[in-house]
Amino acid sequence: VADLPVKMLTVHASGGGEMLRAAADAAREKRPDLLVLAVTVLTSSNQATLTETGVNASPEQQVLRLAGVASSAGVGGLVCSPLEIT
């Protein structure tokens, strides 16, 4: 992806810290101007869809959890619903 003429790349925060860190580090190494953003919980998700996929947290709790993981991994920003911004 770093060879494509893009400014931002989204990855799923649910991939975990190791994956997020690898993506952020690779982007910084190959293209320092490429911004890696972590997607927390899709706006189409609700409690039922989270439960269906094995997540026993509320959407708000999951957004906060994933935002913390992504932030610790060093991604450049987050993609989340404005309803979950605190």
Side-chain angles (χ1 to χ4, degrees):
V1 171
D3 293 330
L4 298 174
V6 297
K7 300 277 186 199
M8 293 180 259
L9 168 69
T10 60
V11 293
H12 288 275
S14 59
E18 184 177 343
M19 185 274 301
L20 293 167
R21 195 169 300 103
D25 289 348
R28 273 191 290 277
E29 183 179 310
K30 181 136 184 170
R31 280 250 327 263
D33 65 322
L34 179 59
L35 184 60
V36 176
L37 304 171
V39 178
T40 58
V41 175
L42 299 176
T43 56
S44 60
S45 294
N46 57 26
Q47 187 64 60
T49 55
L50 288 178
T51 300
E52 179 182 31
T53 59
V55 176
N56 294 317
S58 71
E60 295 82 9
Q61 291 168 324
Q62 186 66 353
V63 166
L64 290 173
R65 177 181 297 123
L66 292 175
V69 170
S71 177
S72 294
V75 299
L78 300 171
V79 177
C80 61
S81 166
L83 299 174
E84 275 99 26
I85 295 174
T86 58

